[in-house]
Coordinates of all heavy atoms in Angstrom, one line a residue:
G46 N 15.1 51.4 -35.4 CA 16.1 51.7 -36.4 C 16.9 52.9 -36.1 O 17.4 53.0 -35.0
T75 N 14.6 52.4 -10.4 CA 15.2 52.9 -9.2 C 16.4 52.0 -8.8 O 16.3 50.8 -8.8 CB 14.2 52.9 -8.0 OG1 13.1 53.6 -8.4 CG2 14.8 53.5 -6.8
G102 N 22.2 38.8 -24.4 CA 23.3 38.4 -23.6 C 24.0 39.4 -22.7 O 25.1 39.2 -22.2

Side-chain angles (χ1 to χ4, degrees):
T75 305

